[in-house]
Amino acid sequence: SYPTECYFPTWVIPQDHKVTEAMAAAYTELYGEPRIDKWTFSTNGVTIQGRYGIPCVGFGPGAESQAHAPNEVTYKQDLPTCAALYVAALNLYDPSQADGNATTYRAELTDNDIK
């Protein structure tokens, strides 16, 4: 038995947030104008940002209509496309804002000590 609280907090990241801007800039350079919207399904973002307050942007392979579906299909070309964006976005993110501690964001938003 692995007891887990069934809590899936929703989250949103502003379009003018530095993480969103880095992803959008990387996408623009690689593929053209991005469509910035919302996902209508649950992702690991409910834990990453919803619980721990670590900013994240959802971007991944496959079609949203099939995400987390029983017979989900992901096309091979989607994998290098996504990998290229992840690398490009990291290179555009402002490293002067990082303190090397992934728990910083969570510490600011919750009373939980995860160190």
Side-chain angles (χ1 to χ4, degrees):
S1 174
Y2 183 74
T4 301
E5 178 185 18
C6 287
Y7 173 60
F8 307 100
T10 58
W11 55 276
V12 65
I13 186 169
Q15 194 162 340
D16 63 352
H17 190 283
K18 61 190 173 200
V19 172
T20 311
E21 289 177 343
M23 288 289 284
Y27 190 96
T28 300
E29 289 297 317
L30 291 169
Y31 310 116
E33 192 64 27
R35 180 176 61 105
I36 300 174
D37 201 356
K38 66 189 174 318
W39 274 347
T40 58
F41 57 88
S42 184
T43 69
N44 291 342
V46 299
T47 297
I48 298 166
Q49 184 162 341
R51 283 184 172 224
Y52 302 136
I54 300 169
C56 64
V57 172
F59 181 82
E64 180 179 353
S65 62
Q66 294 190 12
H68 305 289
N71 295 315
E72 181 176 356
V73 173
T74 299
Y75 297 99
K76 289 179 188 178
Q77 181 53 46
D78 286 359
L79 301 175
T81 297
C82 290
L85 181 71
Y86 302 148
V87 171
L90 287 173
N91 289 318
L92 292 172
Y93 184 75
D94 181 0
S96 70
Q97 301 297 314
D99 67 1
N101 184 350
T103 65
T104 298
Y105 291 106
R106 182 179 186 195
E108 294 171 357
L109 297 175
T110 70
D111 293 329
N112 297 327
D113 181 13
I114 63 171
K115 293 181 182 176

